[in-house]
Amino acid sequence: MTPAEVAVLTALSPDRTLTATQVQLASTLTAWRTRNALAHLESRGLIVPSHPRGRWRITPRGRAALTSKASRFR
């Protein structure tokens, strides 16, 4: 897991539903890194799109991954 992916998961935890722009602002990443991290996390089932459209939320699997991996990036 990359530091950008950890930053995105952290922005979405514990149960926040955010747009890509809100994730970008909360994680202080560039737009490109944010979109790239969102795509990778979604492909692994760590985040899912939510309603209303254009929002993301973390899955239980994503919370578990964040718990186990985040300590490496602090």
Side-chain angles (χ1 to χ4, degrees):
M1 188 174 304
T2 67
E5 292 169 349
V6 171
V8 169
L9 288 177
T10 301
L12 291 171
S13 71
D15 281 325
R16 296 173 74 191
T17 303
L18 303 174
T19 65
T21 302
Q22 291 170 323
V23 171
Q24 178 185 347
L25 293 172
S27 62
T28 65
L29 298 171
T30 64
W32 184 88
R33 288 182 65 118
T34 301
R35 287 190 311 270
N36 194 34
L38 287 169
H40 285 125
L41 292 168
E42 181 186 21
S43 72
R44 290 188 305 218
L46 301 178
I47 63 171
V48 293
S50 182
H51 295 288
R53 242 178 101 187
R55 296 185 178 268
W56 299 93
R57 65 180 171 83
I58 194 169
T59 64
R61 184 175 171 194
R63 276 192 279 297
L66 180 61
T67 301
S68 66
K69 308 276 181 171
S71 61
R72 294 185 201 175
F73 297 97
R74 290 187 185 153

